[in-house]
Amino acid sequence: MALIPYDENAVWGLQKLHKSASTYHFANHTIEIKQNWKQLGVAAVVWDAAVVLCSYLETGAIGLRERSVIELGAGTGLLGIVATLLGAHVTITDRAAALEFLESNVQANLPSEHQSRAVVKELTWGRNLENFSPGKFDFILGADIIYLEETFVDLLETLEHLCSEHTTILLSCRIRYERDQNFLKMLKGHFSVHEVHYDTSKDVHIFKAQRSFHKEDL
């Protein structure tokens, strides 16, 4: 899903992604995120979409304290860490191959008093969804997870499984290709979707989605 080892010399202008660590300041904490592009590719670096969504959450636009949150395709874990520091109970997920790296960042950046409110768990979209209770989560977060067309059906199935009528989805992304727009069209077929924020400096959109109900559902 996110484990794509790119050739460092072939990616122009993305030198910051090849640093071994990056430092951020959110929720009155300094967060140092380890990165490992050569080992795990895009799953092991911090993308602008995650930073923008962290900033959005920090504004208090949505109340996270004591709410139940799940992050999909967490990668380095920055977003899940920030949600936890903001008071949420967070399930931070990714594929099995990324979990050890993800866990190391979570453990290193959460003070002891916050550790019990974050759990790292395997989730491959579309698989073993019975391990996650439908409707358990108040919020579903995803940063830059809309980019591989072959994952779109599984991602949509996962979102549908996790959502109840009270669940809010927040997806942060840069619209790079027509296929990204195609996923948003797919999403709008099952959810009510609208844009809640656009960061002009980073060209990152945040979309809010909630389950749509038709008359026959009532």
Side-chain angles (χ1 to χ4, degrees), residues 92-141:
I92 307 172
T93 72
D94 211 318
R95 296 179 65 181
L99 289 188
E100 182 178 355
F101 180 79
L102 171 58
E103 179 80 46
S104 67
N105 271 325
V106 172
Q107 292 294 325
N109 285 286
L110 286 180
S112 57
E113 64 269 24
H114 293 278
Q115 292 278 349
S116 64
R117 292 193 290 104
V119 58
V120 174
K121 190 171 180 179
E122 178 185 355
L123 173 55
T124 299
W125 304 338
R127 300 183 186 177
N128 300 319
L129 295 180
E130 65 275 6
N131 293 332
F132 297 83
S133 301
K136 173 183 177 180
F137 301 100
D138 299 305
F139 295 97
I140 300 171
L141 306 179

mmCIF file of all heavy atoms in Angstrom, residues 92-141:
data_model
loop_
_atom_site.group_PDB
_atom_site.id
_atom_site.type_symbol
_atom_site.label_atom_id
_atom_site.label_comp_id
_atom_site.label_asym_id
_atom_site.label_seq_id
_atom_site.Cartn_x
_atom_site.Cartn_y
_atom_site.Cartn_z
ATOM 1 N N ILE A 92 -3.525 3.547 15.680
ATOM 2 C CA ILE A 92 -2.639 4.000 14.607
ATOM 3 C C ILE A 92 -2.288 2.785 13.763
ATOM 4 O O ILE A 92 -1.664 1.843 14.248
ATOM 5 C CB ILE A 92 -1.370 4.658 15.190
ATOM 6 C CG1 ILE A 92 -1.750 5.763 16.192
ATOM 7 C CG2 ILE A 92 -0.502 5.245 14.086
ATOM 8 C CD1 ILE A 92 -0.572 6.331 16.961
ATOM 9 N N THR A 93 -2.684 2.777 12.495
ATOM 10 C CA THR A 93 -2.600 1.555 11.704
ATOM 11 C C THR A 93 -1.767 1.710 10.441
ATOM 12 O O THR A 93 -1.648 2.790 9.869
ATOM 13 C CB THR A 93 -3.999 1.058 11.292
ATOM 14 O OG1 THR A 93 -4.558 1.929 10.282
ATOM 15 C CG2 THR A 93 -4.948 1.004 12.488
ATOM 16 N N ASP A 94 -1.221 0.582 10.010
ATOM 17 C CA ASP A 94 -0.558 0.466 8.712
ATOM 18 C C ASP A 94 -0.375 -1.019 8.431
ATOM 19 O O ASP A 94 -0.768 -1.860 9.250
ATOM 20 C CB ASP A 94 0.791 1.209 8.696
ATOM 21 C CG ASP A 94 1.123 1.757 7.295
ATOM 22 O OD1 ASP A 94 0.896 1.025 6.304
ATOM 23 O OD2 ASP A 94 1.592 2.899 7.195
ATOM 24 N N ARG A 95 0.238 -1.311 7.302
ATOM 25 C CA ARG A 95 0.510 -2.706 6.954
ATOM 26 C C ARG A 95 1.581 -3.288 7.867
ATOM 27 O O ARG A 95 2.349 -2.576 8.502
ATOM 28 C CB ARG A 95 0.946 -2.799 5.495
ATOM 29 C CG ARG A 95 -0.137 -2.370 4.515
ATOM 30 C CD ARG A 95 0.332 -2.447 3.086
ATOM 31 N NE ARG A 95 0.608 -3.827 2.696
ATOM 32 C CZ ARG A 95 1.060 -4.166 1.480
ATOM 33 N NH1 ARG A 95 1.290 -3.238 0.577
ATOM 34 N NH2 ARG A 95 1.283 -5.423 1.190
ATOM 35 N N ALA A 96 1.640 -4.610 7.902
ATOM 36 C CA ALA A 96 2.525 -5.307 8.841
ATOM 37 C C ALA A 96 3.980 -4.890 8.681
ATOM 38 O O ALA A 96 4.700 -4.704 9.672
ATOM 39 C CB ALA A 96 2.383 -6.815 8.661
ATOM 40 N N ALA A 97 4.440 -4.732 7.441
ATOM 41 C CA ALA A 97 5.854 -4.434 7.207
ATOM 42 C C ALA A 97 6.280 -3.091 7.771
ATOM 43 O O ALA A 97 7.468 -2.858 8.000
ATOM 44 C CB ALA A 97 6.142 -4.480 5.705
ATOM 45 N N ALA A 98 5.326 -2.181 8.007
ATOM 46 C CA ALA A 98 5.645 -0.845 8.502
ATOM 47 C C ALA A 98 5.480 -0.710 10.009
ATOM 48 O O ALA A 98 5.838 0.331 10.575
ATOM 49 C CB ALA A 98 4.770 0.189 7.790
ATOM 50 N N LEU A 99 4.957 -1.741 10.677
ATOM 51 C CA LEU A 99 4.546 -1.577 12.075
ATOM 52 C C LEU A 99 5.708 -1.364 13.040
ATOM 53 O O LEU A 99 5.602 -0.559 13.972
ATOM 54 C CB LEU A 99 3.715 -2.784 12.522
ATOM 55 C CG LEU A 99 2.312 -2.904 11.938
ATOM 56 C CD1 LEU A 99 1.564 -4.035 12.640
ATOM 57 C CD2 LEU A 99 1.546 -1.607 12.044
ATOM 58 N N GLU A 100 6.803 -2.068 12.867
ATOM 59 C CA GLU A 100 7.927 -1.920 13.798
ATOM 60 C C GLU A 100 8.468 -0.492 13.751
ATOM 61 O O GLU A 100 8.728 0.130 14.788
ATOM 62 C CB GLU A 100 9.032 -2.925 13.460
ATOM 63 C CG GLU A 100 10.209 -2.866 14.429
ATOM 64 C CD GLU A 100 11.275 -3.903 14.113
ATOM 65 O OE1 GLU A 100 11.068 -4.730 13.205
ATOM 66 O OE2 GLU A 100 12.335 -3.881 14.790
ATOM 67 N N PHE A 101 8.619 0.031 12.552
ATOM 68 C CA PHE A 101 9.100 1.403 12.378
ATOM 69 C C PHE A 101 8.099 2.400 12.956
ATOM 70 O O PHE A 101 8.465 3.332 13.676
ATOM 71 C CB PHE A 101 9.311 1.655 10.885
ATOM 72 C CG PHE A 101 9.800 3.031 10.556
ATOM 73 C CD1 PHE A 101 11.131 3.365 10.723
ATOM 74 C CD2 PHE A 101 8.928 3.993 10.079
ATOM 75 C CE1 PHE A 101 11.584 4.641 10.422
ATOM 76 C CE2 PHE A 101 9.365 5.263 9.781
ATOM 77 C CZ PHE A 101 10.705 5.594 9.951
ATOM 78 N N LEU A 102 6.827 2.183 12.672
ATOM 79 C CA LEU A 102 5.765 3.044 13.185
ATOM 80 C C LEU A 102 5.746 3.034 14.707
ATOM 81 O O LEU A 102 5.693 4.088 15.357
ATOM 82 C CB LEU A 102 4.426 2.559 12.627
ATOM 83 C CG LEU A 102 3.138 3.174 13.175
ATOM 84 C CD1 LEU A 102 3.115 4.681 12.980
ATOM 85 C CD2 LEU A 102 1.921 2.526 12.483
ATOM 86 N N GLU A 103 5.800 1.855 15.292
ATOM 87 C CA GLU A 103 5.777 1.708 16.750
ATOM 88 C C GLU A 103 6.937 2.447 17.402
ATOM 89 O O GLU A 103 6.775 3.074 18.464
ATOM 90 C CB GLU A 103 5.841 0.224 17.122
ATOM 91 C CG GLU A 103 5.848 -0.062 18.610
ATOM 92 C CD GLU A 103 4.466 0.012 19.237
ATOM 93 O OE1 GLU A 103 3.514 -0.542 18.670
ATOM 94 O OE2 GLU A 103 4.369 0.644 20.303
ATOM 95 N N SER A 104 8.117 2.416 16.766
ATOM 96 C CA SER A 104 9.278 3.069 17.355
ATOM 97 C C SER A 104 9.081 4.579 17.443
ATOM 98 O O SER A 104 9.475 5.208 18.434
ATOM 99 C CB SER A 104 10.542 2.742 16.556
ATOM 100 O OG SER A 104 10.503 3.324 15.254
ATOM 101 N N ASN A 105 8.469 5.180 16.432
ATOM 102 C CA ASN A 105 8.193 6.617 16.480
ATOM 103 C C ASN A 105 7.139 6.958 17.526
ATOM 104 O O ASN A 105 7.260 7.962 18.239
ATOM 105 C CB ASN A 105 7.735 7.106 15.107
ATOM 106 C CG ASN A 105 8.890 7.531 14.220
ATOM 107 O OD1 ASN A 105 9.887 8.070 14.690
ATOM 108 N ND2 ASN A 105 8.756 7.289 12.927
ATOM 109 N N VAL A 106 6.112 6.146 17.611
ATOM 110 C CA VAL A 106 5.049 6.394 18.589
ATOM 111 C C VAL A 106 5.601 6.313 20.008
ATOM 112 O O VAL A 106 5.369 7.197 20.839
ATOM 113 C CB VAL A 106 3.890 5.399 18.387
ATOM 114 C CG1 VAL A 106 2.868 5.521 19.521
ATOM 115 C CG2 VAL A 106 3.211 5.636 17.039
ATOM 116 N N GLN A 107 6.354 5.264 20.298
ATOM 117 C CA GLN A 107 6.901 5.084 21.636
ATOM 118 C C GLN A 107 7.874 6.200 22.008
ATOM 119 O O GLN A 107 7.914 6.672 23.156
ATOM 120 C CB GLN A 107 7.615 3.726 21.738
ATOM 121 C CG GLN A 107 6.692 2.525 21.651
ATOM 122 C CD GLN A 107 5.751 2.433 22.837
ATOM 123 O OE1 GLN A 107 6.114 2.786 23.957
ATOM 124 N NE2 GLN A 107 4.542 1.953 22.602
ATOM 125 N N ALA A 108 8.661 6.661 21.036
ATOM 126 C CA ALA A 108 9.682 7.673 21.311
ATOM 127 C C ALA A 108 9.087 9.056 21.550
ATOM 128 O O ALA A 108 9.719 9.897 22.197
ATOM 129 C CB ALA A 108 10.679 7.726 20.154
ATOM 130 N N ASN A 109 7.881 9.298 21.050
ATOM 131 C CA ASN A 109 7.344 10.655 21.078
ATOM 132 C C ASN A 109 6.140 10.867 21.985
ATOM 133 O O ASN A 109 5.686 12.005 22.138
ATOM 134 C CB ASN A 109 6.980 11.089 19.650
ATOM 135 C CG ASN A 109 8.211 11.419 18.836
ATOM 136 O OD1 ASN A 109 8.836 12.449 19.022
ATOM 137 N ND2 ASN A 109 8.569 10.515 17.924
ATOM 138 N N LEU A 110 5.636 9.810 22.593
ATOM 139 C CA LEU A 110 4.521 9.978 23.525
ATOM 140 C C LEU A 110 5.016 9.872 24.958
ATOM 141 O O LEU A 110 5.580 8.840 25.346
ATOM 142 C CB LEU A 110 3.442 8.927 23.270
ATOM 143 C CG LEU A 110 2.568 9.128 22.032
ATOM 144 C CD1 LEU A 110 1.540 7.999 21.932
ATOM 145 C CD2 LEU A 110 1.859 10.482 22.044
ATOM 146 N N PRO A 111 4.821 10.906 25.760
ATOM 147 C CA PRO A 111 5.169 10.815 27.183
ATOM 148 C C PRO A 111 4.402 9.665 27.844
ATOM 149 O O PRO A 111 3.361 9.232 27.348
ATOM 150 C CB PRO A 111 4.720 12.170 27.735
ATOM 151 C CG PRO A 111 4.676 13.084 26.546
ATOM 152 C CD PRO A 111 4.271 12.217 25.394
ATOM 153 N N SER A 112 4.924 9.189 28.953
ATOM 154 C CA SER A 112 4.353 8.008 29.611
ATOM 155 C C SER A 112 2.874 8.171 29.917
ATOM 156 O O SER A 112 2.098 7.205 29.826
ATOM 157 C CB SER A 112 5.126 7.705 30.896
ATOM 158 O OG SER A 112 5.112 8.834 31.769
ATOM 159 N N GLU A 113 2.448 9.383 30.267
ATOM 160 C CA GLU A 113 1.038 9.583 30.619
ATOM 161 C C GLU A 113 0.105 9.490 29.417
ATOM 162 O O GLU A 113 -1.108 9.395 29.568
ATOM 163 C CB GLU A 113 0.847 10.934 31.328
ATOM 164 C CG GLU A 113 1.151 12.156 30.481
ATOM 165 C CD GLU A 113 2.596 12.624 30.596
ATOM 166 O OE1 GLU A 113 3.463 11.783 30.941
ATOM 167 O OE2 GLU A 113 2.858 13.814 30.342
ATOM 168 N N HIS A 114 0.665 9.507 28.199
ATOM 169 C CA HIS A 114 -0.157 9.400 26.999
ATOM 170 C C HIS A 114 -0.093 8.011 26.353
ATOM 171 O O HIS A 114 -0.881 7.700 25.471
ATOM 172 C CB HIS A 114 0.300 10.433 25.964
ATOM 173 C CG HIS A 114 0.054 11.860 26.357
ATOM 174 N ND1 HIS A 114 -1.166 12.483 26.193
ATOM 175 C CD2 HIS A 114 0.877 12.778 26.905
ATOM 176 C CE1 HIS A 114 -1.080 13.733 26.626
ATOM 177 N NE2 HIS A 114 0.153 13.929 27.068
ATOM 178 N N GLN A 115 0.864 7.194 26.777
ATOM 179 C CA GLN A 115 1.108 5.920 26.100
ATOM 180 C C GLN A 115 -0.128 5.028 26.064
ATOM 181 O O GLN A 115 -0.386 4.345 25.070
ATOM 182 C CB GLN A 115 2.259 5.184 26.799
ATOM 183 C CG GLN A 115 3.619 5.843 26.644
ATOM 184 C CD GLN A 115 4.298 5.512 25.333
ATOM 185 O OE1 GLN A 115 3.864 4.627 24.608
ATOM 186 N NE2 GLN A 115 5.380 6.224 25.033
ATOM 187 N N SER A 116 -0.914 5.028 27.132
ATOM 188 C CA SER A 116 -2.063 4.113 27.205
ATOM 189 C C SER A 116 -3.181 4.504 26.241
ATOM 190 O O SER A 116 -4.091 3.708 25.999
ATOM 191 C CB SER A 116 -2.610 4.073 28.634
ATOM 192 O OG SER A 116 -3.113 5.347 29.012
ATOM 193 N N ARG A 117 -3.125 5.704 25.693
ATOM 194 C CA ARG A 117 -4.200 6.163 24.807
ATOM 195 C C ARG A 117 -3.871 5.975 23.332
ATOM 196 O O ARG A 117 -4.641 6.418 22.473
ATOM 197 C CB ARG A 117 -4.530 7.633 25.105
ATOM 198 C CG ARG A 117 -5.164 7.798 26.474
ATOM 199 C CD ARG A 117 -5.779 9.167 26.685
ATOM 200 N NE ARG A 117 -4.761 10.197 26.798
ATOM 201 C CZ ARG A 117 -4.457 11.067 25.836
ATOM 202 N NH1 ARG A 117 -5.094 11.019 24.681
ATOM 203 N NH2 ARG A 117 -3.533 11.976 26.027
ATOM 204 N N ALA A 118 -2.758 5.324 23.037
ATOM 205 C CA ALA A 118 -2.396 5.055 21.650
ATOM 206 C C ALA A 118 -2.036 3.590 21.484
ATOM 207 O O ALA A 118 -1.304 3.023 22.294
ATOM 208 C CB ALA A 118 -1.225 5.930 21.223
ATOM 209 N N VAL A 119 -2.566 2.972 20.446
ATOM 210 C CA VAL A 119 -2.231 1.586 20.140
ATOM 211 C C VAL A 119 -1.894 1.492 18.653
ATOM 212 O O VAL A 119 -2.572 2.081 17.810
ATOM 213 C CB VAL A 119 -3.388 0.629 20.500
ATOM 214 C CG1 VAL A 119 -4.672 0.987 19.758
ATOM 215 C CG2 VAL A 119 -3.002 -0.814 20.217
ATOM 216 N N VAL A 120 -0.808 0.792 18.355
ATOM 217 C CA VAL A 120 -0.406 0.545 16.968
ATOM 218 C C VAL A 120 -0.927 -0.826 16.566
ATOM 219 O O VAL A 120 -0.716 -1.815 17.272
ATOM 220 C CB VAL A 120 1.124 0.612 16.818
ATOM 221 C CG1 VAL A 120 1.547 0.212 15.411
ATOM 222 C CG2 VAL A 120 1.634 2.016 17.150
ATOM 223 N N LYS A 121 -1.606 -0.881 15.426
ATOM 224 C CA LYS A 121 -2.271 -2.123 15.034
ATOM 225 C C LYS A 121 -2.197 -2.307 13.515
ATOM 226 O O LYS A 121 -2.275 -1.335 12.763
ATOM 227 C CB LYS A 121 -3.739 -2.075 15.483
ATOM 228 C CG LYS A 121 -4.485 -3.392 15.362
ATOM 229 C CD LYS A 121 -5.853 -3.294 16.040
ATOM 230 C CE LYS A 121 -6.621 -4.587 15.949
ATOM 231 N NZ LYS A 121 -7.932 -4.500 16.624
ATOM 232 N N GLU A 122 -2.061 -3.555 13.100
ATOM 233 C CA GLU A 122 -2.011 -3.844 11.664
ATOM 234 C C GLU A 122 -3.388 -3.670 11.035
ATOM 235 O O GLU A 122 -4.396 -4.140 11.559
ATOM 236 C CB GLU A 122 -1.533 -5.269 11.419
ATOM 237 C CG GLU A 122 -1.503 -5.643 9.945
ATOM 238 C CD GLU A 122 -1.151 -7.092 9.697
ATOM 239 O OE1 GLU A 122 -0.836 -7.813 10.669
ATOM 240 O OE2 GLU A 122 -1.198 -7.519 8.524
ATOM 241 N N LEU A 123 -3.405 -2.999 9.900
ATOM 242 C CA LEU A 123 -4.615 -2.918 9.094
ATOM 243 C C LEU A 123 -4.219 -2.775 7.639
ATOM 244 O O LEU A 123 -3.653 -1.756 7.223
ATOM 245 C CB LEU A 123 -5.491 -1.731 9.513
ATOM 246 C CG LEU A 123 -6.711 -1.442 8.626
ATOM 247 C CD1 LEU A 123 -7.591 -2.681 8.478
ATOM 248 C CD2 LEU A 123 -7.516 -0.275 9.174
ATOM 249 N N THR A 124 -4.484 -3.818 6.878
ATOM 250 C CA THR A 124 -4.354 -3.767 5.427
ATOM 251 C C THR A 124 -5.748 -3.571 4.877
ATOM 252 O O THR A 124 -6.648 -4.366 5.157
ATOM 253 C CB THR A 124 -3.730 -5.068 4.881
ATOM 254 O OG1 THR A 124 -2.420 -5.222 5.441
ATOM 255 C CG2 THR A 124 -3.632 -5.010 3.359
ATOM 256 N N TRP A 125 -5.959 -2.518 4.134
ATOM 257 C CA TRP A 125 -7.299 -2.146 3.694
ATOM 258 C C TRP A 125 -7.986 -3.301 2.980
ATOM 259 O O TRP A 125 -7.411 -3.974 2.138
ATOM 260 C CB TRP A 125 -7.229 -0.941 2.757
ATOM 261 C CG TRP A 125 -6.539 0.239 3.382
ATOM 262 C CD1 TRP A 125 -6.387 0.482 4.715
ATOM 263 C CD2 TRP A 125 -5.899 1.319 2.704
ATOM 264 N NE1 TRP A 125 -5.690 1.653 4.908
ATOM 265 C CE2 TRP A 125 -5.388 2.181 3.706
ATOM 266 C CE3 TRP A 125 -5.727 1.639 1.359
ATOM 267 C CZ2 TRP A 125 -4.690 3.355 3.379
ATOM 268 C CZ3 TRP A 125 -5.043 2.800 1.035
ATOM 269 C CH2 TRP A 125 -4.535 3.645 2.035
ATOM 270 N N GLY A 126 -9.227 -3.521 3.366
ATOM 271 C CA GLY A 126 -10.035 -4.552 2.726
ATOM 272 C C GLY A 126 -9.832 -5.948 3.284
ATOM 273 O O GLY A 126 -10.509 -6.882 2.860
ATOM 274 N N ARG A 127 -8.919 -6.121 4.232
ATOM 275 C CA ARG A 127 -8.613 -7.451 4.770
ATOM 276 C C ARG A 127 -8.839 -7.499 6.278
ATOM 277 O O ARG A 127 -8.515 -6.554 6.996
ATOM 278 C CB ARG A 127 -7.159 -7.836 4.471
ATOM 279 C CG ARG A 127 -6.819 -7.881 2.999
ATOM 280 C CD ARG A 127 -5.391 -8.329 2.804
ATOM 281 N NE ARG A 127 -4.987 -8.254 1.406
ATOM 282 C CZ ARG A 127 -3.758 -8.530 0.967
ATOM 283 N NH1 ARG A 127 -2.824 -8.911 1.840
ATOM 284 N NH2 ARG A 127 -3.470 -8.428 -0.315
ATOM 285 N N ASN A 128 -9.369 -8.624 6.727
ATOM 286 C CA ASN A 128 -9.553 -8.868 8.172
ATOM 287 C C ASN A 128 -10.215 -7.700 8.883
ATOM 288 O O ASN A 128 -9.849 -7.345 10.013
ATOM 289 C CB ASN A 128 -8.188 -9.174 8.825
ATOM 290 C CG ASN A 128 -7.515 -10.391 8.225
ATOM 291 O OD1 ASN A 128 -8.160 -11.396 7.944
ATOM 292 N ND2 ASN A 128 -6.215 -10.299 8.016
ATOM 293 N N LEU A 129 -11.204 -7.121 8.239
ATOM 294 C CA LEU A 129 -11.876 -5.970 8.829
ATOM 295 C C LEU A 129 -12.683 -6.344 10.064
ATOM 296 O O LEU A 129 -13.029 -5.470 10.868
ATOM 297 C CB LEU A 129 -12.785 -5.306 7.783
ATOM 298 C CG LEU A 129 -12.054 -4.690 6.579
ATOM 299 C CD1 LEU A 129 -13.057 -4.068 5.609
ATOM 300 C CD2 LEU A 129 -11.031 -3.655 7.023
ATOM 301 N N GLU A 130 -12.940 -7.634 10.240
ATOM 302 C CA GLU A 130 -13.676 -8.065 11.433
ATOM 303 C C GLU A 130 -12.875 -7.802 12.706
ATOM 304 O O GLU A 130 -13.431 -7.848 13.815
ATOM 305 C CB GLU A 130 -14.029 -9.552 11.330
ATOM 306 C CG GLU A 130 -12.858 -10.514 11.334
ATOM 307 C CD GLU A 130 -12.230 -10.726 9.964
ATOM 308 O OE1 GLU A 130 -12.635 -10.039 9.008
ATOM 309 O OE2 GLU A 130 -11.335 -11.598 9.861
ATOM 310 N N ASN A 131 -11.578 -7.510 12.569
ATOM 311 C CA ASN A 131 -10.757 -7.176 13.737
ATOM 312 C C ASN A 131 -11.022 -5.759 14.245
ATOM 313 O O ASN A 131 -10.472 -5.369 15.285
ATOM 314 C CB ASN A 131 -9.273 -7.313 13.391
ATOM 315 C CG ASN A 131 -8.866 -8.756 13.123
ATOM 316 O OD1 ASN A 131 -9.470 -9.682 13.657
ATOM 317 N ND2 ASN A 131 -7.859 -8.941 12.292
ATOM 318 N N PHE A 132 -11.845 -5.013 13.520
ATOM 319 C CA PHE A 132 -12.164 -3.636 13.892
ATOM 320 C C PHE A 132 -13.672 -3.490 13.974
ATOM 321 O O PHE A 132 -14.384 -3.745 13.010
ATOM 322 C CB PHE A 132 -11.590 -2.656 12.867
ATOM 323 C CG PHE A 132 -10.095 -2.680 12.795
ATOM 324 C CD1 PHE A 132 -9.438 -3.639 12.039
ATOM 325 C CD2 PHE A 132 -9.342 -1.760 13.505
ATOM 326 C CE1 PHE A 132 -8.051 -3.677 11.981
ATOM 327 C CE2 PHE A 132 -7.952 -1.792 13.457
ATOM 328 C CZ PHE A 132 -7.308 -2.751 12.687
ATOM 329 N N SER A 133 -14.153 -3.098 15.141
ATOM 330 C CA SER A 133 -15.598 -3.007 15.359
ATOM 331 C C SER A 133 -16.210 -1.888 14.518
ATOM 332 O O SER A 133 -15.743 -0.745 14.579
ATOM 333 C CB SER A 133 -15.893 -2.739 16.835
ATOM 334 O OG SER A 133 -15.367 -3.759 17.646
ATOM 335 N N PRO A 134 -17.246 -2.188 13.746
ATOM 336 C CA PRO A 134 -17.912 -1.146 12.955
ATOM 337 C C PRO A 134 -18.485 -0.061 13.856
ATOM 338 O O PRO A 134 -19.083 -0.348 14.898
ATOM 339 C CB PRO A 134 -19.029 -1.913 12.230
ATOM 340 C CG PRO A 134 -18.597 -3.343 12.252
ATOM 341 C CD PRO A 134 -17.828 -3.515 13.530
ATOM 342 N N GLY A 135 -18.265 1.161 13.485
ATOM 343 C CA GLY A 135 -18.862 2.271 14.217
ATOM 344 C C GLY A 135 -18.191 2.602 15.524
ATOM 345 O O GLY A 135 -18.691 3.414 16.300
ATOM 346 N N LYS A 136 -17.033 2.015 15.803
ATOM 347 C CA LYS A 136 -16.350 2.251 17.078
ATOM 348 C C LYS A 136 -15.723 3.639 17.139
ATOM 349 O O LYS A 136 -15.557 4.217 18.217
ATOM 350 C CB LYS A 136 -15.267 1.195 17.284
ATOM 351 C CG LYS A 136 -14.381 1.427 18.491
ATOM 352 C CD LYS A 136 -13.289 0.363 18.586
ATOM 353 C CE LYS A 136 -12.344 0.639 19.748
ATOM 354 N NZ LYS A 136 -11.265 -0.390 19.844
ATOM 355 N N PHE A 137 -15.386 4.204 15.977
ATOM 356 C CA PHE A 137 -14.554 5.400 15.950
ATOM 357 C C PHE A 137 -15.361 6.666 15.662
ATOM 358 O O PHE A 137 -16.229 6.694 14.797
ATOM 359 C CB PHE A 137 -13.448 5.232 14.902
ATOM 360 C CG PHE A 137 -12.569 4.049 15.174
ATOM 361 C CD1 PHE A 137 -12.762 2.852 14.481
ATOM 362 C CD2 PHE A 137 -11.598 4.104 16.154
ATOM 363 C CE1 PHE A 137 -11.968 1.759 14.745
ATOM 364 C CE2 PHE A 137 -10.797 3.005 16.426
ATOM 365 C CZ PHE A 137 -10.977 1.824 15.725
ATOM 366 N N ASP A 138 -15.013 7.727 16.395
ATOM 367 C CA ASP A 138 -15.617 9.033 16.147
ATOM 368 C C ASP A 138 -15.000 9.705 14.928
ATOM 369 O O ASP A 138 -15.692 10.402 14.178
ATOM 370 C CB ASP A 138 -15.424 9.943 17.369
ATOM 371 C CG ASP A 138 -16.068 9.388 18.616
ATOM 372 O OD1 ASP A 138 -17.285 9.112 18.571
ATOM 373 O OD2 ASP A 138 -15.363 9.218 19.639
ATOM 374 N N PHE A 139 -13.691 9.477 14.743
ATOM 375 C CA PHE A 139 -12.982 10.097 13.630
ATOM 376 C C PHE A 139 -12.071 9.084 12.951
ATOM 377 O O PHE A 139 -11.436 8.254 13.605
ATOM 378 C CB PHE A 139 -12.125 11.282 14.108
ATOM 379 C CG PHE A 139 -12.927 12.430 14.653
ATOM 380 C CD1 PHE A 139 -13.117 12.556 16.021
ATOM 381 C CD2 PHE A 139 -13.494 13.371 13.802
ATOM 382 C CE1 PHE A 139 -13.856 13.608 16.537
ATOM 383 C CE2 PHE A 139 -14.242 14.418 14.312
ATOM 384 C CZ PHE A 139 -14.418 14.543 15.676
ATOM 385 N N ILE A 140 -12.010 9.186 11.618
ATOM 386 C CA ILE A 140 -11.050 8.426 10.818
ATOM 387 C C ILE A 140 -10.151 9.449 10.131
ATOM 388 O O ILE A 140 -10.639 10.368 9.474
ATOM 389 C CB ILE A 140 -11.747 7.552 9.763
ATOM 390 C CG1 ILE A 140 -12.684 6.542 10.436
ATOM 391 C CG2 ILE A 140 -10.715 6.829 8.894
ATOM 392 C CD1 ILE A 140 -13.564 5.785 9.454
ATOM 393 N N LEU A 141 -8.837 9.291 10.298
ATOM 394 C CA LEU A 141 -7.878 10.232 9.725
ATOM 395 C C LEU A 141 -7.019 9.538 8.677
ATOM 396 O O LEU A 141 -6.614 8.381 8.846
ATOM 397 C CB LEU A 141 -6.966 10.803 10.817
ATOM 398 C CG LEU A 141 -7.630 11.443 12.038
ATOM 399 C CD1 LEU A 141 -6.560 11.923 13.010
ATOM 400 C CD2 LEU A 141 -8.533 12.595 11.624
#
